[in-house]
């Protein structure tokens, strides 16, 4: 099963889940979200390997992410990957799942 399919499955199961079950779904989904972003980051890094710093800043800016020339190459690649990742069905499903859980008072971040 792909990362995207598993995230979509978790998001579909989330509305019927509550409390600890929902936390477990969120935890797995969060890990898959990070995994998907890391995989895409590697692909983006390979694709932009030949770009100059200025061209990379321009690409990140064109993708709608705020950045500046003082950021190092790794940060810029991550921003570019994040801009692309956030528009994928997997990331959109995770975001919707996390927002719905938060409205129901469930989060992976413990309350203080």
């Amino acid at each position: 099963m792909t990362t995207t399919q598993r995230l979509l499955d978790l998001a579909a199961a989330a509305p019927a889940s509550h409390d600890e079950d929902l936390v477990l779904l969120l935890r797995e989904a969060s890990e898959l979200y990070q995994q998907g972003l890391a995989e895409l980051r590697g692909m983006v890094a390979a694709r932009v390997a030949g770009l100059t710093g200025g061209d990379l800043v321009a690409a990140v800016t064109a993708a709608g992410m705020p950045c500046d020339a003082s950021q190092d190459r790794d940060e810029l690649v991550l921003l570019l990957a994040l801009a692309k990742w956030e528009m994928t069905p997997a990331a959109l499903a995770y975001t919707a799942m996390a927002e719905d859980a938060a409205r129901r008072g469930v989060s992976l971040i413990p309350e203080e």
Side-chain angles (χ1 to χ4, degrees):
M1 180 176 291
T2 67
T3 300
T4 296
Q5 185 57 52
R6 183 63 183 149
L7 270 168
L8 293 173
D9 289 349
L10 292 170
S17 299
H18 303 282
D19 303 321
E20 189 59 34
D21 289 338
L22 183 54
V23 170
L24 293 173
L25 290 178
L26 279 172
R27 188 170 292 125
E28 182 180 351
S30 177
E31 290 170 8
L32 290 168
Y33 179 98
Q34 296 302 321
Q35 177 185 335
L37 176 57
E39 290 169 1
L40 183 60
R41 185 186 172 285
M43 289 185 269
V44 168
R47 187 173 53 84
V48 300
L51 293 182
T52 66
D55 288 341
L56 188 52
V57 167
V60 172
T61 301
M65 297 297 279
C67 68
D68 62 64
S70 69
Q71 291 177 283
D72 69 31
R73 187 171 195 84
D74 288 339
E75 290 174 318
L76 294 170
V77 168
L78 179 58
L79 286 172
L80 189 55
L82 185 59
K84 293 183 180 310
W85 175 246
E86 287 180 339
M87 301 309 296
T88 65
L92 292 170
Y94 174 75
T95 299
M97 177 184 178
E99 288 172 352
D100 178 63
R103 282 190 293 276
R104 295 192 283 153
V106 177
S107 174
L108 291 178
I109 301 170
E111 293 185 29
E112 293 182 38

